Amino acid sequence: MGNKLLLDQGSGGLASHRLVADVFLRHLANPVLARMDDAALINPKGPLAVSTDSFTVDPIFFPGGDIGCLAVHGTVNDVAMLGAKPLYLTCGFILEEGFDLDDLERIVASMARAAKKAGVRVIAGDTKVVGRGAADKIFINTTGIGEVVSSRPPSGHRARPGDAVIVSGTLGDHGLTILSHRQGLSFEAPVQSDCASLNRLTLKLMQRLERVHVLRDPTRGGLATTLNEIAQQSGVGIHLEEPAIPVKPVVASGCEVLGLDPLYLANEGKLICILPGKLADQALAVMRRDPLGRDACVIGTVTAENPGKVVLRTGLGGRRLLGMLEGEQLPRIC
């Protein structure tokens, strides 16, 4: 096939079939996908959760991941946050003519590893090739389908006064990694993306706790924006304690130098769990037994005060209103 992508490899003809067979089917093959029909048949046992997302991250390879595994993790997590067990993915690729085929194969292989680890199958897909300059190397769209396993699925509308607000680990890792790698910056200590699928952790929470009100992964806009969305959806206030919010020293110092706030940086392997305060210790025990939740901690509470607002008590004892992110802090973060 050569080392660079050609326009005819997106034409639907022989070159397209060879590309699909040599790259996509070789890494993502399973009995459903191998049928090569125009649609896939699935047999759900009950209610389904569906989510779709598109990925344009720049750079496409970064410490801790790449656009391929990110496309799997991001959509798996969105489905899992609804109290569902992700089962299937579809993926669509928009590829620029001249894109390196070795890089494409590396990305698809990364997707395959991420899907296998998450326990999901890629069951349908599409590939389009556009002319040079009509796209930037590669864009990926994924749709996830999962079986709802909770009798009362978590929702952004279900936060209640008295609930505890828990995060599963350190914040801002992915955002600072993308920015530093894109700009060629280095810090005293290495920083890498937290890119990971959280569905096994969410399933443990669903199985071992009687009630989980909200699950959410704070991606674009970070913790502050995501909590604002929840506060507005539920009509409650959220009060946070700044000293309790986990941020790695390298991320904190990097943000200070660059004038960024880690509470607004994207995360790709962390979750927010909101549940009755009396269950907080139990939730922490469940999360900390999982490698992806070992740094979990309570960072605040849900209150009836200041409905729709997120208020941070700073380390000095002052109060700061955390609004939603305004503008684009860092484009093409995912």
Side-chain angles (χ1 to χ4, degrees):
M1 289 194 303
N3 292 322
K4 302 297 181 183
L5 198 68
L6 303 174
L7 273 176
D8 66 347
Q9 289 173 301
S11 67
L14 183 59
S16 293
H17 282 262
R18 286 174 175 164
L19 178 66
V20 169
D22 292 346
V23 177
F24 297 106
L25 278 178
R26 187 156 71 87
H27 292 284
L28 301 174
N30 60 71
V32 180
L33 188 63
R35 294 179 66 88
M36 293 298 289
D37 291 327
D38 287 341
L41 293 174
I42 59 176
N43 296 295
K45 298 178 182 178
L48 297 179
V50 179
S51 181
T52 191
D53 204 350
S54 297
F55 298 85
T56 66
V57 66
D58 176 34
I60 57 176
F61 300 105
F62 48 85
D66 54 65
I67 192 173
C69 69
L70 180 63
V72 173
H73 296 318
T75 297
V76 163
N77 290 344
D78 285 344
V79 172
M81 296 304 134
L82 203 61
K85 179 181 179 181
L87 298 172
Y88 306 110
L89 294 177
T90 71
C91 55
F93 297 82
I94 297 177
L95 306 169
E96 183 184 16
E97 180 188 16
F99 185 54
D100 192 295
L101 283 167
D102 290 337
D103 285 346
L104 176 60
E105 183 157 2
R106 178 181 170 190
I107 288 166
V108 177
S110 177
M111 292 184 74
R113 290 191 297 271
K116 182 177 181 181
K117 188 172 182 178
V120 299
R121 287 181 173 182
V122 176
I123 61 169
D126 180 59
T127 304
K128 295 292 188 296
V129 180
V130 298
R132 295 174 187 268
D136 187 3
K137 303 181 186 69
I138 178 172
F139 299 150
I140 302 175
N141 171 270
T142 47
T143 295
I145 303 169
E147 176 189 358
V148 177
V149 296
S150 173
S151 59
R152 295 192 66 191
S155 167
H157 296 84
R158 294 189 57 208
R160 296 292 181 266
D163 284 354
V165 180
I166 299 174
V167 293
S168 62
T170 56
L171 301 171
D173 300 348
H174 178 75
L176 189 66
T177 297
I178 296 300
L179 175 62
S180 61
H181 199 53
R182 185 185 299 171
Q183 301 298 331
L185 304 175
S186 60
F187 303 103
E188 292 183 2
V191 59
Q192 70 174 35
S193 172
D194 56 350
C195 191
S197 290
L198 297 164
N199 53 314
R200 302 191 190 280
L201 178 56
T202 59
L203 185 59
K204 292 175 185 175
L205 290 169
M206 293 292 97
Q207 291 174 336
R208 299 176 189 179
L209 299 173
E210 60 182 271
R211 280 183 293 167
V212 174
H213 287 163
V214 183
L215 289 173
R216 191 69 66 83
D217 55 333
T219 53
R220 286 181 300 173
L223 176 75
T225 297
T226 304
L227 288 179
N228 268 276
E229 292 171 351
I230 295 168
Q232 292 173 18
Q233 285 179 280
S234 294
V236 297
I238 296 178
H239 289 188
L240 303 179
E241 298 291 335
E242 186 177 43
I245 299 174
V247 178
K248 290 178 179 175
V250 64
V251 173
S253 61
C255 285
E256 185 174 354
V257 169
L258 297 171
L260 299 172
D261 188 335
L263 302 187
Y264 288 92
L265 286 181
N267 310 274
E268 291 293 346
K270 302 299 190 309
L271 64 81
I272 298 166
C273 176
I274 298 178
L275 77 173
K278 65 181 181 179
L279 299 178
D281 287 344
Q282 187 179 349
L284 288 174
V286 171
M287 296 170 78
R288 288 171 178 170
R289 284 195 291 266
D290 188 288
L292 296 179
R294 62 176 177 267
D295 295 320
C297 55
V298 177
I299 62 169
T301 58
V302 177
T303 77
E305 301 173 6
N306 304 310
K309 306 292 184 183
V310 179
V311 178
L312 177 75
R313 189 171 74 168
T314 69
L316 298 176
R319 293 187 179 273
R320 170 188 167 199
L321 183 65
L322 293 180
M324 282 194 171
L325 177 66
E326 295 186 15
E328 183 63 83
Q329 185 184 52
L330 186 61
R332 295 183 62 181
I333 193 70
C334 59

